[in-house]
Amino acid sequence: MSLAAGTRLGPYEILAPIGAGGMGEVYKARDTRLDRTVAVKILSDQIARREDLCTRFEREARAVASLHHPNICTLYDIGNQDGTAYMVMEFMEGETLAARIEQGALPLDQAIPIAVQIADALDRAHRAGVTHRDVKPQNIMLTRDGAKVLDFGLAKSSSKAGPADETVTKGLTAEGTLLGTPQYLAPEQFEGSEADARSDIWAFGAVLYEMVTGRKAFQGKSYASLAGAILSADPAPMTLKPFTPAWLERLVRRCLAKGPEDRWQSMRDVVIELQWPPAEPVAAGPAKASRWLWAVAAAGTVALGIALWSPWRADKPADRPLVRLDVDLGADASWPSTGDAYAGSDVAISPDGTRLAYASGAGTNTKLFIRRLDQPKAVELPGTLGARTPFFSPDGQWVGFATNYKNLFKISVEGGAAVQLGGITAFSGASWGADGALFVSGYGKGLLRIPAGGGPPETIAGLSDGEGALAPPQILPGGKAILFAAVARPPDIDTQTIEVLTLADRRRKILVRGGQSPRYLPTAGGTGHLVYINKASLFAIPFDPDKLETRGTAVPVLDDVASQPYFGGQFAFSPAPSGHGTLVYRRGRSAAVPRMMTLDWVDPSGKREPLPAKPGAYEFPRLSPDGKRVALDVVEERDADIWIYEPGRDGMTRLTFGGGIFRNPTWSPDGRYVVFEAIAKGIFQARADGGSQPQELTVSQSAQVPWSFTPDSERLAYFEGTGNPQIWTLPLEDQAGQLKAGKPQQFLKSSSNDFAPSFSPDGRWLAYTSNASGQAEVYVRAFPPPSSGQGGMWQISSGGGLWPTWRRKANDLVYESGGQIMAVSYTVQGDTFVAGKPRVWIAKLGPHAGWDLAPDGNRLLVLTPVESAEAPKPDHEVVFLINFFDELRRRAPAGK
C-alpha cells in the first residue's frame, strides 16, 4: 500500500516516500512527539496479513531494538494501526554501498575501514544472539558518520526462538519465499540448513570481495547457475586487481569457505584480522611489571627535547608496532564513579610521557595523585581535596584541576601550594594554551577563556538553543581554533555534534555527528587524526588541522573505554615517545548496555532475601509508605522511565513512556503520588496507580532532584544544581487529584555542596549531606529554619556519611559510610537536636547500586548488581598503548 504525505501512523507523520523492497515501503516521516525525522517502514500486505509472520517480526524487531551500535541502524518503534504494520527507524542521509560500488571498486584505504565497521556491527548483533541473514550492499548505508547496517527484516534471534519458528519457516519454504538475496546466500542456505552467524560471515565475505574488486563474487545467468556457482565454484582471485594484499585474499577466501566449519567462527575474528593484518608487526601482549612503566618513562625522557614539536615535522617517523600495557596503580588507587554526569577525564599524561596524573577516591572525597612512570608509587598532591578532571600545562610542569566541578586550580608536579585560577559552574574540561590562557567549559556556560594571569573569564562561544554545553575544549595546533563537542539539553550522545570553532571569526563547523570527548592527535607531519567516544568505543578519523576537515570514514579503534554519561571519555594522550604517541585510558563498558540489577531485602545481619522481580536495568529504588510497592526507574537505551513494582503480584505499572530521562522517584506520604526528576525539564508528578499522564510540577533546565515530603504532604524538599547543589523546599497543595506547587524557597545558602534532604517523621528537622567540612558528612538542622538564620547545625556522622534516612519507630537516623549502614540514636531537648554516637547497623552491605529503608525500619531494599560471567577487573588499572599514533596511521590511513 502507498501512503500520502500527511498520513499519520500513531505519532508519525508521513512526509515523502524513500523507497520500496520485498518487505514493504519506506517513508521519510516526522516523529511529532520528539520533533525528529525518522524512517517508517510499512510492511507489505502479503506479510501483514500473516499473523504468524507478524508475530515473528515483532519478536525479532524487539531483539534488534536491543542492538545499540554506531554502525547499526537504530530501530525506534514498531506498531500497527488499522491493520497497517510498521516499524520506525533512524533516518539516514547518504548512499547505499551498492550505489557506491556501481561507480567502481573502492580503494583499499576506503574499503578496509568500511569493512571494519560492517564487521564490528555484525559482531555486536551476533554476540546479542541476532543473525542478520540478509547482508548485502543494498542493506549497508554509507553516511557521513560511517557505514550503517540496516534492514534486519529477516533477522533471527537465537536467544528468543519459540515454538512458532519451525512452523513459520515451513510456511515460507512452502510458498517458495527466499530468505535473503541469492548472490549473498551461503551454501548451507541453498541446501535448506538453518542460517547462523557463519552464514552472515559468508555474506560479509561476498560483500567485501565486491567492494574491493567491483564485481560480484559469484554470478550466473539463471538462479540455477548462480546456485551451482555458490555450491561448487570459487570466485576469481582478488589479487588480479593490482595492489590487493595477499592477507586480504586469504581473509575473504576463508569467509567464503563452502563448509561453515571451515570459515571464521566469529565475526570478532574477522574484525581482528582486518585491524591486525598479518603483514604488520604483532603487538606485544599485556604486561604489568613496573619495568614496563620505567621503559615508557625512559622513552619519554630521551624524547623530551623534541616531543612537543616532532609531531609537526614534515618527515614521517617510521612506524613501530603497538605495545599494550595493563598497569595496576595499586590497591590504594580507586577510580571515581563514571556515573558522575559532568566530570571529564580523571586520568592525564604529561606531554613528555613521563608522568601520570589521576583523581582517586569516592564522592566529594577525591584527591589528586601524580606518578612518575619510572617510580613504583604515586604521590598524593596536598590541597587537592575534591579534585577531578586533571590536565597538564604545555610544558608539563603544572597540573590543572577542578574541585567539586567548580573552582579551578593549578599545582606544580613537584607538589607545593595549589594556586587558584578561577571558577566555573559544572566544570567539565579545559585546554591550556601555549600563552598560558585556559579555555574551559561547563554545563550551561559555553566556551570561556581565562587569561594567563587570572581574572574574569571571556565568553568565546555561547550556547545555541537546545544546547547544554560545549565540552571538553581542545586548542588546536597554532592556537587559531578550538575543538569541542556540542552537548544537547537534555544530553544525548546520538544528538551530540563534534565541532570546531575558529577564534578569528567565532564561526562553528560540524565535523562529526554522534560522539563526545573529541581530541586531535598529531599523528603525522602537518596532519593527524580526530578521535572521539561513542558509548565505550573510541573512533578515529583522519583530520587536517589547517583546513579543519576530516578525511575518509571514522574507524572503531577500541571498544572498552570508560566514559562519563555526558562529557568525559576516560583517556588522555602524549606525543611521546618521539612522536609515535602514547594513549592511556581506563577500561569501561558502553552506557548503551545498562548494568542489570536484582531487588533484595537485606537485614541487619547481612542476610539477603531476593524479591521475585527478574533482573532489570533498575535505578533509584524507593519504597511506598506502606512498603508494598517500589518506585524505580528502568533504563532503556537513551531513555529512563519511572515504573511501580508490586512484589505481591510480581507486576509492573509504567508511569512515564519514553522521550526523556526520568529518575529519582519520591512517594508522597499518602502513597497517592510519585514525584520525580525529569532531566533538563524540572520535577514531574504522576499518580502512583498509573491513572494519569505525568504532569509538570516545576519547570527548570537545571537539575532538580526531589527527595522528601513533610509528613503532612504540604512541602517537598529537593536539591538543585550540579557544580554546587543547594537545598530548596516547595509548598504543595492537592487540587482535584493533582499537586500544585507554590513558590520555592531556598533552605540554606552556602558555598558547600548540600544534597539529599530528608524530613524527620515529625517534620521538625531536616537531615542532609554536605561537604562543608571538606568531605561528605551528614548534618541536621531545624525546619523551618529560624527567621534569624542563625539556627543550630549538628554534624551526625564522622568519617564520612551519605544518604541520611530516618528510622521512624526507633528514633534513629541511618546513613551510609564506607560500605556500611550506620545508625545514630537521637533525642530532642527543646530546640536542640541531641545525637548519640554512630554505631554500625549493617556491617556488610556488599556491592550495591542504591538502597531504601523499609517503613518498619527493620531492613533495607537494595539494588544488587548481577555478577558478570567475566572475571572482575581491578578498578585501579589503566591501559597504556605505546606507539598509538603509528597504529592510527595503519587503521585509519589518511590517503592522498
Side-chain angles (χ1 to χ4, degrees):
M1 62 178 294
S2 297
L3 300 180
T7 302
R8 294 285 291 267
L9 292 174
Y12 308 106
E13 180 183 5
I14 301 298
L15 300 178
I18 297 176
M23 294 286 289
E25 299 172 336
V26 184
Y27 294 85
K28 181 179 180 181
R30 185 175 71 91
D31 185 338
T32 58
R33 299 171 304 180
L34 303 179
D35 193 24
R36 65 179 174 186
T37 302
V38 296
V40 174
K41 186 170 187 176
I42 309 299
L43 294 186
S44 67
D45 290 340
Q46 177 185 1
I47 292 180
R49 286 194 297 265
R50 291 281 303 276
E51 182 179 353
D52 51 356
L53 297 186
C54 288
T55 300
R56 178 174 178 172
F57 164 75
E58 292 176 2
R59 184 173 65 251
E60 293 168 357
R62 291 189 183 95
V64 175
S66 67
L67 303 178
H68 196 82
H69 188 280
N71 300 114
I72 293 179
C73 177
T74 302
L75 178 65
Y76 292 144
D77 195 8
I78 59 173
N80 192 305
Q81 179 171 298
D82 299 327
T84 300
Y86 63 90
M87 58 181 173
V88 184
M89 304 164 290
E90 68 173 307
F91 178 78
M92 296 175 294
E93 294 182 306
E95 64 177 352
T96 64
L97 179 58
R100 172 61 184 86
I101 293 174
E102 287 179 359
Q103 304 170 27
L106 280 69
L108 284 178
D109 63 351
Q110 296 180 24
I112 299 302
I114 292 173
V116 170
Q117 294 175 2
I118 298 169
D120 200 56
L122 292 173
D123 173 59
R124 173 68 182 89
H126 293 167
R127 283 186 287 137
V130 177
T131 305
H132 190 289
R133 300 201 296 178
D134 198 18
V135 177
K136 58 184 178 182
Q138 292 87 341
N139 283 342
I140 298 164
M141 182 72 75
L142 303 180
T143 74
R144 63 176 298 169
D145 298 327
K148 294 272 191 175
V149 179
L150 55 144
D151 205 348
F152 280 72
L154 297 180
K156 178 175 181 177
S157 172
S158 62
S159 62
K160 294 188 177 182
D165 281 351
E166 183 179 354
T167 303
V168 172
T169 303
K170 289 180 178 178
L172 286 169
T173 305
E175 292 181 11
T177 303
L178 187 63
L179 289 178
T181 304
Q183 286 89 349
Y184 309 97
L185 288 180
E188 64 268 23
Q189 292 174 278
F190 281 96
E191 295 173 342
S193 299
E194 186 63 43
D196 60 17
R198 295 169 299 180
S199 305
D200 280 356
I201 292 173
W202 198 97
F204 170 82
V207 170
L208 180 52
Y209 181 100
E210 192 171 342
M211 289 167 57
V212 175
T213 64
R215 60 181 184 272
K216 290 180 170 56
F218 299 95
Q219 301 184 52
K221 295 182 179 180
S222 66
Y223 175 84
S225 61
L226 174 62
I230 291 174
L231 289 169
S232 59
D234 291 324
M238 295 172 64
T239 48
L240 293 178
K241 179 180 172 61
F243 307 113
T244 301
W247 67 264
L248 185 60
E249 173 88 41
R250 291 192 296 271
L251 182 147
V252 173
R253 290 282 175 180
R254 188 168 175 184
C255 287
L256 295 175
K258 304 302 181 185
E261 298 297 331
D262 297 326
R263 295 175 206 146
W264 301 101
Q265 294 302 292
S266 78
M267 192 58 79
R268 174 51 49 188
D269 294 336
V270 177
V271 172
I272 292 172
E273 288 294 316
L274 286 168
Q275 294 178 335
W276 295 88
E280 299 292 348
V282 179
K288 296 184 181 180
S290 59
R291 66 178 181 273
W292 285 106
L293 285 180
W294 183 90
V296 176
T301 302
V302 170
L304 180 59
I306 61 174
L308 296 180
W309 61 265
S310 63
W312 289 277
R313 294 180 302 170
D315 58 314
K316 177 184 176 181
D319 283 356
R320 299 177 180 176
L322 184 72
V323 177
R324 176 188 173 107
L325 309 173
D326 295 327
V327 178
D328 190 337
L329 296 177
D332 293 338
S334 176
W335 291 120
S337 169
T338 53
D340 293 340
Y342 301 99
S345 177
D346 284 315
V347 60
I349 187 170
S350 61
D352 62 7
T354 63
R355 287 182 172 91
L356 185 74
Y358 60 91
S360 177
T364 59
N365 297 324
T366 55
K367 297 178 181 178
L368 200 63
F369 291 79
I370 196 161
R371 179 174 176 179
R372 286 187 58 93
L373 298 185
D374 59 354
Q375 298 297 319
K377 292 185 178 181
V379 176
E380 179 186 334
L381 294 177
T384 60
L385 183 64
R388 297 295 298 269
T389 317
F391 55 98
F392 278 94
S393 61
D395 61 7
Q397 297 305 302
W398 296 88
V399 181
F401 63 94
T403 57
N404 301 318
Y405 316 120
K406 182 178 180 183
N407 297 311
L408 296 180
F409 294 87
K410 70 175 182 179
I411 190 169
S412 169
V413 295
E414 303 296 341
V419 179
Q420 186 161 359
L421 300 173
I424 181 172
T425 302
F427 172 82
S428 57
S431 181
W432 218 317
D435 61 354
L438 282 178
F439 293 89
V440 302
S441 63
Y443 197 72
K445 297 295 182 181
L447 285 176
L448 306 179
R449 179 183 183 273
I450 298 178
E458 171 194 2
T459 299
I460 300 299
L463 300 175
S464 301
D465 290 343
E467 289 181 340
L470 308 178
Q474 181 191 13
I475 187 75
L476 292 177
K480 296 180 180 180
I482 299 176
L483 186 68
F484 61 90
V487 183
R489 187 196 298 268
D492 182 347
I493 185 64
D494 293 323
T495 62
Q496 287 187 193
T497 55
I498 293 174
E499 304 185 24
V500 66
L501 177 138
T502 49
L503 294 176
D505 56 14
R506 307 292 172 90
R507 296 185 63 181
R508 293 167 57 171
K509 177 182 179 181
I510 296 178
L511 302 175
V512 175
R513 298 181 185 274
Q516 67 179 22
S517 300
R519 283 293 177 262
Y520 170 73
L521 276 57
T523 54
T527 60
H529 283 78
L530 169 65
V531 299
Y532 61 91
I533 293 287
N534 188 308
K535 308 299 186 291
S537 296
L538 181 73
F539 288 79
I541 186 170
F543 179 70
D544 187 327
D546 295 325
K547 296 181 180 180
L548 303 179
E549 294 177 351
T550 58
R551 299 175 179 175
T553 303
V555 175
V557 180
L558 297 167
D559 63 0
D560 62 345
V561 181
S563 63
Q564 313 298 100
Y566 303 156
F567 300 133
Q570 296 293 299
F571 69 94
F573 74 93
S574 164
S578 303
H580 293 271
T582 296
L583 177 78
V584 58
Y585 73 94
R586 293 172 52 191
R587 282 193 300 262
R589 63 190 191 119
S590 173
V593 185
R595 187 78 179 269
M596 301 302 284
M597 303 286 171
T598 59
L599 289 164
D600 302 308
W601 290 116
V602 178
D603 66 19
S605 70
K607 180 182 176 182
R608 289 178 177 264
E609 178 187 344
L611 272 70
K614 60 185 178 181
Y618 306 135
E619 294 180 334
F620 308 108
R622 298 296 290 270
L623 284 156
S624 62
D626 60 8
K628 296 181 179 180
R629 293 170 292 173
V630 184
L632 40 72
D633 67 84
V634 180
V635 179
E636 297 178 0
E637 292 192 356
R638 298 175 181 83
D639 299 333
D641 285 298
I642 305 297
W643 293 70
I644 303 296
Y645 173 65
E646 297 179 60
R649 67 178 183 91
D650 190 23
M652 301 275 281
T653 300
R654 188 170 186 168
L655 301 188
T656 64
F657 296 87
I661 300 174
F662 305 102
R663 61 185 189 182
N664 289 297
T666 298
W667 292 86
S668 63
D670 59 9
R672 296 179 59 196
Y673 302 101
V674 175
V675 298
F676 45 90
E677 176 189 10
I679 297 295
K681 297 178 182 179
I683 298 174
F684 275 49
Q685 60 173 313
R687 278 175 44 185
D689 61 6
S692 67
Q693 292 293 321
Q695 301 290 329
E696 294 173 346
L697 191 61
T698 68
V699 178
S700 175
Q701 291 188 335
S702 298
Q704 292 186 328
V705 183
W707 207 260
S708 176
F709 281 83
T710 53
D712 58 10
S713 300
E714 292 184 357
R715 196 165 284 267
L716 171 69
Y718 66 94
F719 59 97
E720 178 172 359
T722 50
N724 181 212
Q726 299 286 284
I727 296 173
W728 294 71
T729 65
L730 185 71
L732 299 172
E733 290 186 11
D734 190 339
Q735 297 181 3
Q738 183 175 329
L739 296 175
K740 296 294 184 181
K743 183 179 180 180
Q745 297 175 343
Q746 189 165 359
F747 173 69
L748 176 68
K749 294 182 180 180
S750 71
S751 59
S752 57
N753 296 345
D754 303 328
F755 55 97
S758 178
F759 282 113
S760 64
D762 60 5
R764 290 186 57 192
W765 312 96
L766 194 68
Y768 62 98
T769 302
S770 175
N771 67 346
S773 66
Q775 68 175 354
E777 300 284 4
V778 172
Y779 296 86
V780 168
R781 286 180 178 265
F783 186 85
S787 57
S788 64
Q790 301 299 318
M793 179 178 73
W794 296 272
Q795 182 173 329
I796 305 303
S797 62
S798 59
L802 293 165
W803 323 124
T805 305
W806 303 85
R807 289 182 71 199
R808 300 176 182 274
K809 297 181 180 180
N811 254 35
D812 273 353
L813 185 61
V814 300
Y815 60 89
E816 182 178 351
S817 179
Q820 301 180 116
I821 299 297
M822 309 295 292
V824 175
S825 298
Y826 67 90
T827 59
V828 175
Q829 299 176 4
D831 294 332
T832 302
F833 189 89
V834 181
K837 182 179 179 180
R839 66 185 189 278
V840 176
W841 185 48
I842 299 180
K844 295 181 180 180
L845 187 57
H848 72 282
W851 56 270
D852 193 24
L853 181 67
D856 61 11
N858 293 329
R859 56 183 179 173
L860 299 183
L861 179 68
V862 176
L863 279 184
T864 304
V866 176
E867 292 186 4
S868 171
E870 298 180 0
K873 300 287 186 180
D875 63 355
H876 36 76
E877 282 193 356
V878 290
V879 178
F880 283 83
L881 295 180
I882 304 169
N883 303 326
F884 183 69
F885 291 3
D886 301 330
E887 179 66 8
L888 288 186
R889 288 193 291 269
R890 289 188 287 266
R891 300 273 285 275
K896 297 182 179 179

